[in-house]
Amino acid sequence: MMEFTKQLSAFLEKSLTAYHAKDNVKAQLLENGFTPLLPTQDWEICESGKYFVERGASLIAFTVGQLDHFTYKIAAAHVDSPALKIKTNPEKKTENMISLNVERYGGGLWYTFFDRPLKIAGQIVTNTDGKLQAKTTQAPFLVTIPSQALHINREANDHFAVNLQTDALPLYALNDGNLIETAFAGENVVAYDLFAVNAEKPYVFGANGEFFASPRLDNLTSVYASLQGLLSAKTDKGVCVAAFFHNEEIGSQTLQGAGGDFLEKTLRKIAFALRFDDNEYDKALASSFFLSVDNAHALHPNHPEKSDPTNKTKLGGGVVIKSHAGGAYVTDSLTLATVKTVFENAGVPYQYFFNRSDAKSGSTLGVSALTRLGVYGADIGLAQLAMHSACECFAIDDFQALLDGLTAFYSSDYFAENGVVTIE
Ligand SMILES: [Zn+2]
């Protein structure tokens, strides 16, 4: 494996849930000299400083450059992926076997979660001597969802629709067992957000090692690339922001989601800590730029007819810029032209994504975030196959392009000097 795929691999393997992903981002920020800030306190920040603030499994990191041009360059990605969420009182006994009662978190391709090693992971809240504390954690054992044998479910190869309440309960123990007591022995667990997630490791495949497969590529590839872009950017103007949000897979309209006020409040707090007033804050937003970074569907080799006929998004075709007339993506002609210019100036390959006109569009956190903020933006991302499967894949060259694209975005002074394209 190449060095950058090794590092991505390590990040994916450790990032079992949104909570783990956020913790791993935080560890890299601390290693790179970023200072943690608390939303409950006044912020002391200055030019050349590097900071981050958290809200649950969401985190916003930023670096402060010269402020003669006060603008924000923001890239945002989501830390969550579809998974099976464990309910309270999850143990369900059938004869001498105990399974776990789960509900859907996001729109998983659920049949792919069967017959895989699954980890129980997420956040527990414990009570230690009257003090409540949230901890990111995982159980020390695996569980699995066994398929019915073909001999018992003869129609499985023709049509198999997963009923999450009856088909998808992971098998957990024989005879007896309380999940929380066996998984987190010695902890006084009061409440939890735990998920059954695919525990398989990432791997490289293809005749020339050109492909990469892993659980949770949507959207941890974007999280990783945005973070590396922020860390490696050579910029001296404005404020560079990398925002990592929970809850995109359930629509973003939550306290920790991009539809909440976390980003807006954080950008405002940055402006005021730097002694800018309301008017200057609004002016900064008007010449800022936002990239919503999320994976895109590549053309499937077995089903090319499912892709748009004139904008074929290809594995190996570069960073994807997404557009949608119905507004599912925030890209418009002004912002498309801006992104193309930044990528072309940096030699970053790019391509386009449109849905087929007879197909329903997916969406990203871009719309939720920008409706609140009032900043120009575009939707970009990595081309991939098997989105929302327990294991997804992409072409390694595209990931390099995404890393380069995000570094170019943060390094560009285009926005600080020009805003988006001049309107005549
Ligand atoms: Zn996504």
Side-chain angles (χ1 to χ4, degrees):
M1 258 195 234
M2 282 178 276
E3 194 50 39
F4 77 94
T5 34
K6 260 191 214 156
Q7 286 171 12
L8 172 67
S9 218
F11 180 75
L12 287 162
E13 210 181 320
K14 285 186 291 181
S15 299
L16 294 169
T17 68
Y19 301 96
H20 293 79
K22 193 267 313 232
D23 284 359
N24 294 328
V25 165
K26 183 176 165 179
Q28 285 204 39
L29 291 168
L30 289 169
E31 261 172 44
N32 283 276
F34 281 64
T35 306
L37 298 169
L38 292 173
T40 48
Q41 294 184 349
D42 292 329
W43 293 355
E44 293 289 329
I45 64 179
C46 58
E47 280 190 15
S48 310
K50 304 187 279 187
Y51 309 90
F52 69 90
V53 58
E54 297 169 73
R55 181 188 282 188
S58 299
L59 182 150
I60 296 173
F62 60 96
T63 61
V64 183
Q66 285 167 23
L67 295 169
D68 45 339
H69 289 92
F70 175 42
T71 59
Y72 299 99
K73 279 178 276 184
I74 308 158
H78 65 91
V79 283
D80 59 325
S81 301
L84 296 163
K85 189 166 189 208
I86 315 285
K87 292 180 181 173
T88 302
N89 298 319
E91 299 84 7
K92 180 172 178 290
K93 198 158 187 180
T94 309
E95 302 305 329
N96 63 339
M97 290 167 288
I98 301 169
S99 304
L100 298 173
N101 191 8
V102 291
E103 58 182 332
R104 80 189 68 227
Y105 177 84
L109 192 56
W110 299 122
Y111 77 85
T112 64
F113 285 69
F114 285 62
D115 307 320
R116 306 246 185 193
L118 303 179
K119 264 258 162 83
I120 307 288
Q123 173 174 276
I124 56 172
V125 180
T126 60
N127 183 338
T128 311
D129 303 327
K131 193 168 181 289
L132 297 179
Q133 200 182 2
K135 288 183 194 171
T136 302
T137 187
Q138 56 180 284
F141 50 79
L142 298 169
V143 296
T144 199
I145 308 168
S147 292
Q148 289 188 75
L150 183 63
H151 319 72
I152 293 168
N153 184 16
R154 289 280 179 194
E155 271 104 61
N157 282 332
D158 301 320
H159 37 82
F160 171 48
V162 180
N163 178 325
L164 280 198
Q165 188 57 72
T166 55
D167 295 320
L169 284 68
L171 178 58
Y172 146 68
L174 265 185
N175 301 320
D176 284 310
N178 172 293
L179 174 69
I180 297 305
E181 280 171 17
T182 51
F184 311 109
E187 304 268 24
N188 184 13
V189 179
V190 184
Y192 55 78
D193 287 302
L194 291 170
F195 302 83
V197 301
N198 186 2
E200 288 173 311
K201 288 185 186 306
Y203 60 94
V204 169
F205 71 101
N208 301 297
E210 58 269 70
F211 303 113
F212 184 97
S214 171
R216 299 174 290 281
L217 292 180
D218 172 16
N219 193 28
L220 295 180
T221 46
S222 303
V223 169
Y224 185 83
S226 303
L227 176 62
Q228 299 316 315
L230 182 74
L231 295 177
S232 55
K234 289 177 184 48
T235 185
D236 52 7
K237 289 201 172 105
V239 179
C240 288
V241 181
F244 305 108
F245 289 110
H246 194 12
N247 293 153
E248 192 272 347
E249 298 293 357
I250 56 167
S252 296
Q253 303 304 311
T254 66
L255 184 70
Q256 301 176 44
D261 63 0
F262 185 34
L263 182 58
E264 185 191 359
K265 285 258 164 72
T266 301
L267 298 185
R268 185 179 289 274
K269 227 163 140 58
I270 294 169
F272 291 175
L274 292 167
R275 311 278 182 268
F276 291 107
D277 64 16
D278 250 328
N279 180 44
E280 285 159 320
Y281 172 65
D282 286 342
K283 285 196 295 186
L285 288 183
S287 56
S288 292
F289 203 89
F290 182 99
L291 280 182
S292 165
V293 194
D294 203 346
N295 290 1
H297 304 296
L299 178 146
H300 197 293
N302 299 344
H303 289 285
E305 76 285 359
K306 296 280 180 72
S307 290
D308 183 72
T310 65
N311 294 283
K312 297 184 178 177
T313 306
K314 293 181 192 143
L315 288 182
V319 181
V320 181
I321 310 174
K322 306 178 214 178
S323 301
H324 183 245
Y329 305 123
V330 297
T331 317
D332 66 11
S333 59
L334 290 175
T335 60
L336 174 59
T338 306
V339 172
K340 281 171 65 167
T341 304
V342 170
F343 285 176
E344 277 168 21
N345 288 345
V348 176
Y350 62 85
Q351 55 182 335
Y352 304 109
F353 176 85
F354 281 82
N355 295 284
R356 278 186 63 93
S357 308
D358 51 9
K360 195 169 171 283
S361 177
S363 63
T364 71
L365 58 75
V367 174
S368 299
L370 291 205
T371 316
R372 278 198 81 101
L373 267 188
V375 170
Y376 280 103
D379 266 280
I380 68 159
L382 178 75
Q384 72 155 100
L385 294 174
M387 191 178 284
H388 290 195
S389 167
C391 191
E392 309 171 306
C393 62
F394 68 82
I396 289 170
D397 283 352
D398 289 332
F399 187 67
Q400 180 68 64
L402 185 67
L403 284 172
D404 294 346
L406 282 157
T407 305
F409 169 66
Y410 282 125
S411 302
S412 171
D413 289 328
Y414 185 88
F415 314 98
E417 284 161 7
N418 304 297
V420 290
V421 180
T422 312
I423 306 171
E424 290 194 347

